[in-house]
Amino acid sequence: NGFYYDVDFGDHSITEKELINIEKKFLDFAKQKFEFKMRSASKKEALDFYNKKENQYKIELIENLKDGTITFCDHADFTDLCKGGHIPHTGFIKAVKLLNVAGAYWRGDENNKQLTRIYGISFPKQKELTEYLELLEEAKKRDHRRLGKELELFTFSQKVGQGLPLWLPKGAALRERLEDFLKDAQKKAGYEQVISPHIGNKELYMTSGHYEKYGEDSFQPIETPAEGETFLLKPMNCPHHCEIYKARPWSYKELPKRYAEFGTVYRYEQSGELHGLTRVRGFTQDDAHIFCSESQIKDETEKFCNLLTEIYKDFGFEDIRIKFSDRPVKRAGDDSTWDQAEDSLLNAIKEAGYCYELNPGEGAFYGPKLEFILRDAIGREWQCGTLQVDFVLPQRLDASYVSENGEKKRPVMLHRAILGSFERFIGILLENNTGKLPNWLSPVQIVIVNVNDDVLQYSKEIKKTLTQSKLRCQIDIRNEKINYKIREHSNLKIPYILVLGKRELENRSVSVRVIGSTKVEEIKLEQFLKNIKSACSIP
Ligand code: ZN
């Protein structure tokens, strides 16, 4: 999805025109088919090279590298540090566009100098670049960061910290609605809700293997000098749920156990990687773990696929791809266990009638997995849901059940999420719908605006009736012009605006303006109440 290069231009700030000139230069060089030549050097050679050039940035990078060989790439008269991975020569570059310029602190540290970061993208064909630029324009109109602000859903504060979303009342209402909806669906599907803390003992993550994956590059451990304990912010809910499972012994007859939690986890993402709600440092997963026997994997997979597709449908996502990732080269567990897990997953999706694509060798080291990818209104793909089979964690944390023959056996752990995280999913949903959420999910479904104070009582009465019917309704009794009020609420993408004046009071009716239409239609109150309930319920 593009490239960037950080440059120290001194006091100069780069202009639009200069970017166009750089693009021209790219294509100029491309035509000359300069070869990319990789070459290794020792740390000393590399340092000498950049000392001559007085490039303090490269020197710092090299000094921080672990000892060993350093690789350079030469191309025409330009040389750069490079890990490699190249087209053979510049002639392969056919289409390139510099997209934008931003400030970027050297090594992401705000105490360092700010450099100019130039972002760009390249495609093998001009046609593909043109299509991408069109998509970018369309995406800009739907940017959830702008929509979130306009619709008063969420905000970020530098004082609280980057990548840590703050939910405003309407955003919190939206999330609550989502949570209730999922809780309900999962309860019906046999899940039990559990709650675990936001931190855990470092030892737990060392044993589970999560420290190895998330520890060193993440938020630093919290030390408690008084008792010498060390805690980590929770990067994953899995080990916590495993400990919940272990709170009592289980018989094979009681499996599967399905534990669900809206678990908030923290991961340290580089500041340059942060993006609105879709890339954050603290987020809440709709996580669940199913503890079952190997023979139950198939049935549980099928049930989960059905649950996920039903839920996606309610959001209007019907175009879903399933990727099946099988055993990687480096893996835990013996081949017969992998055979059974892979067969179970495959048979489950086949029997349930889903199509899938093979993603060979991309499974987790602890087991095969399914990825669920949805396509949004402008054709972008987002991986949200996942189901992963895990033989390793139950063993590492010593989880067990008693089998039919009275033997102690390891359960298999299925890690699964439907939305992925509430933050990211809400971001995707806002962009997909250009901010116009489905009625059932809308934090405010109806706004009542009164023409004047003569209908104040009537307005309040209707609000009370609607609220009693569990509809989310607001009333706007400000002394503003009626058209001003209507415009404001339609900008906030409220599904229904009810206009009440003298005529409506006399007729015991409401005048309704539905989002997306400029028509205002008078309907008898009784009829409206009947219509609105079904219009605002989950389809
Ligand atoms: Zn998990």
Side-chain angles (χ1 to χ4, degrees), residues 210 236-239 241 285 287-289 366 388 390 393 413-416:
H210 288 107
M236 290 283 241
N237 305 300
C238 333
H241 290 186
Q285 297 176 316
D287 206 0
H289 294 96
Y366 49 74
Q388 311 185 356
D390 185 351
L393 198 58
M413 201 172 165
L414 305 181
H415 307 250
R416 44 109 297 174

Side-chain angles (χ1 to χ4, degrees), residues 106 131 202 225 232 260 294 298 324 407 419 476 480 500:
W106 169 238
E131 279 167 9
K202 186 179 166 189
L232 287 182
E294 287 181 18
K298 179 167 160 278
F324 168 71
E407 292 161 7
L419 309 183
D476 182 355
E480 298 285 355
L500 303 182

Side-chain angles (χ1 to χ4, degrees), residues 248-386:
R248 53 155 277 197
W250 297 101
S251 146
Y252 71 97
K253 287 187 227 163
E254 295 168 292
L255 299 186
K257 291 306 293 176
R258 307 182 189 92
Y259 292 139
E261 178 175 14
F262 300 143
T264 305
V265 294
Y266 300 89
R267 299 191 196 151
Y268 187 79
E269 303 281 357
Q270 300 243 324
S271 60
E273 306 274 304
L274 298 172
H275 182 85
L277 291 180
T278 51
R279 200 80 181 263
V280 287
R281 284 176 173 170
F283 53 95
T284 305
Q285 297 176 316
D286 63 318
D287 206 0
H289 294 96
I290 302 169
F291 296 86
C292 64
S293 66
E294 287 181 18
S295 63
Q296 289 170 324
I297 299 175
K298 179 167 160 278
D299 196 33
E300 287 305 308
T301 303
E302 196 171 329
K303 279 185 180 145
F304 175 69
C305 290
N306 293 338
L307 178 67
L308 175 135
T309 40
E310 277 307 307
I311 284 174
Y312 280 13
K313 231 181 251 166
D314 289 332
F315 295 107
F317 294 119
E318 307 229 6
D319 190 354
I320 300 153
R321 277 200 306 138
I322 303 179
K323 274 208 267 185
F324 168 71
S325 305
D326 62 7
R327 64 191 78 185
V329 179
K330 230 182 115 187
R331 60 180 181 264
D334 56 48
D335 283 354
S336 71
T337 318
W338 274 90
D339 287 344
Q340 179 163 20
E342 286 172 357
D343 287 350
S344 310
L345 277 185
L346 271 186
N347 288 335
I349 41 179
K350 277 185 200 158
E351 271 181 39
Y354 296 102
C355 297
Y356 68 92
E357 293 155 43
L358 198 61
N359 196 16
E362 290 298 312
F365 81 93
Y366 49 74
K369 65 180 177 187
L370 299 178
E371 281 169 37
F372 300 84
I373 298 150
L374 57 85
R375 189 191 289 270
D376 74 8
I378 56 170
R380 291 174 300 179
E381 294 196 318
W382 304 87
Q383 195 240 304
C384 293
T386 176

Side-chain angles (χ1 to χ4, degrees), residues 164-180:
L164 300 168
L166 299 168
W167 293 91
L168 303 174
K170 278 185 195 160
L174 167 61
R175 247 185 86 158
E176 192 177 48
R177 187 76 193 104
L178 261 182
E179 288 181 7
D180 289 349

